Amino acid sequence: MIEALWYKFVQTWFLGLVATLLGRFIDRTNVRFPESWKARSLIFLQVWGVTFLAVLSFGYAGYLLNFQEHTQAGIAEFFLPLCVGSYFCRQALKNRISVNSRFGNDQIPTFQSSRPPTAAAYLGRWATQAISQKGVLMWPFNRKAQELPDVHVRSWNLMHFATDPDRNWDFASNFRKTAIPGSVLTCETTFIMGSVARGIIRERVNPSLVETCIASAEKVFHQSFEEDSKAPLPDEMQEIYGPQKLNLVASNALEQYAEDDDQLYLTVSRFVSRIKGDPRMKHEILPLFEERRKVLIEAFGE
């Protein structure tokens, strides 16, 4: 029995490899493998393990349902495990907050698409975050994390969480529509959320560590826009920002919010101006930002 399981495990390595590649390249969402080959190998091993378990699970289900031989081999033991492995890899790459914070590999968000996340994306995001918070998915990186002061790691993670483009697209969908396109609104929401994260660090970190924690968080913020800055902005965004690179636009916005000391009741007014909204819009969205800030504070911890 053990030999049969070991043979099946080795037999599925190619399926795990294909699932890993599909998870990375299957759609237009801009994610990437970590730069470290050790981290890449660990991700592949995790996908391989998930694919192997899926082969066993669906294979057993097919056996119970008396699938025909070609259905058992093609659907239960190949197609469905491939889908599960690819989806697992995709969500692992999109939610590599813990990995990024420990190895310095930044998650690259895509701001150029305004299409809404699918129901599957919501479900996958929830599941992967739950696994990551329990330390199951990212256990190989825990030793590396202990080499850094905890508050710096949490500051780094806070900025990743605050500037996630999918979350900010969801959040911005609650605002009153203005003249700017959805991709610009997502960017602008991300800019101010970077300010909100920085303000939380100012308030909740020991004064002796504030400057280094803010520097760590700002590094995450700036790196988040580097990949999207390698190509010209889409036409709809150039109409708003001109020929500037996105990382320069982001840096300028964060500097402007610093002029208000990252005080939310002040930065929201600047945000409304940047998105070309009616000044009265501030009173509509300030409660939303305050609720979002509470979520970030809870994520940051004590």
Side-chain angles (χ1 to χ4, degrees):
M1 180 65 179
I2 296 178
E3 292 180 358
L5 288 176
W6 174 250
Y7 177 77
K8 179 67 71 173
F9 185 74
V10 174
Q11 193 180 35
T12 58
W13 77 268
F14 181 75
L15 192 61
L17 177 62
V18 174
T20 302
L21 295 176
L22 285 177
R24 166 62 179 86
F25 298 106
I26 192 65
D27 69 20
R28 296 174 298 172
T29 306
N30 192 5
V31 297
R32 67 178 184 178
F33 290 127
E35 296 177 1
S36 166
W37 279 103
K38 177 182 177 182
R40 293 187 185 189
S41 299
L42 288 171
I43 288 177
F44 166 68
L45 290 175
Q46 292 173 19
V47 176
W48 185 5
V50 170
T51 305
F52 169 70
L53 293 177
V55 169
L56 293 182
S57 300
F58 289 116
Y60 183 68
Y63 171 78
L64 294 178
L65 295 174
N66 295 318
F67 283 172
Q68 295 182 2
E69 182 177 350
H70 64 278
T71 304
Q72 177 79 2
I75 303 297
E77 297 185 2
F78 181 80
F79 179 76
L80 292 178
L82 183 63
C83 292
V84 170
S86 300
Y87 189 78
F88 178 88
C89 178
R90 189 93 196 146
Q91 296 305 319
L93 291 174
K94 290 177 67 177
N95 294 276
R96 282 172 49 250
I97 294 178
S98 296
V99 180
N100 295 333
S101 66
R102 289 140 173 82
F103 282 87
N105 299 327
D106 37 281
Q107 178 183 355
I108 305 299
T110 299
F111 297 95
Q112 298 180 3
S113 173
S114 59
R115 61 185 177 87
T118 62
Y122 282 113
L123 179 61
R125 187 187 312 155
W126 173 85
T128 309
Q129 287 169 2
I131 294 173
S132 299
Q133 290 171 359
K134 295 298 183 181
V136 176
L137 180 61
M138 300 307 175
W139 67 267
F141 305 98
N142 289 340
R143 183 177 179 182
K144 182 70 174 180
Q146 295 172 359
E147 299 176 9
L148 298 174
D150 178 66
V151 69
H152 290 83
V153 173
R154 291 191 291 120
S155 299
W156 185 292
N157 285 347
L158 175 67
M159 185 62 78
H160 265 297
F161 186 85
T163 56
D164 179 80
D166 285 343
R167 292 187 180 94
N168 289 329
W169 188 96
D170 297 339
F171 180 57
S173 64
N174 297 305
F175 302 161
R176 187 198 306 180
K177 301 299 181 183
T178 65
I180 64 173
S183 54
V184 174
L185 180 60
T186 301
C187 284
E188 289 294 336
T189 304
T190 301
F191 300 160
I192 190 174
M193 292 311 301
S195 169
V196 171
R198 191 169 56 184
I200 292 172
I201 293 171
R202 292 187 196 279
E203 295 175 5
R204 304 181 71 82
V205 171
N206 188 302
S208 63
L209 298 174
V210 164
E211 293 304 320
T212 54
C213 287
I214 288 179
S216 179
E218 287 181 343
K219 182 178 179 181
V220 179
F221 181 88
H222 295 304
Q223 288 179 342
S224 296
F225 300 94
E226 288 181 358
E227 188 72 16
D228 290 282
S229 300
K230 293 179 180 179
L233 293 175
D235 293 340
E236 63 178 14
M237 298 181 71
Q238 289 197 32
E239 292 179 2
I240 306 298
Y241 297 134
Q244 300 181 79
K245 297 293 186 180
L246 187 58
N247 56 357
L248 180 59
V249 175
S251 298
N252 291 339
L254 197 63
E255 289 179 6
Q256 289 183 17
Y257 290 128
E259 296 174 5
D260 297 323
D261 294 324
D262 299 315
Q263 297 295 317
L264 185 57
Y265 65 92
L266 297 175
T267 56
V268 166
S269 296
R270 192 183 293 270
F271 170 76
V272 170
S273 175
R274 289 181 62 91
I275 65 172
K276 305 185 185 303
D278 187 309
R280 293 171 295 182
M281 186 177 175
K282 170 186 176 180
H283 303 291
E284 300 174 6
I285 65 175
L286 182 57
L288 299 177
F289 275 104
E290 289 175 342
E291 288 297 319
R292 182 64 178 159
R293 184 175 180 276
K294 291 178 182 178
V295 173
L296 293 177
I297 290 175
E298 183 177 352
F300 185 64
E302 296 294 337

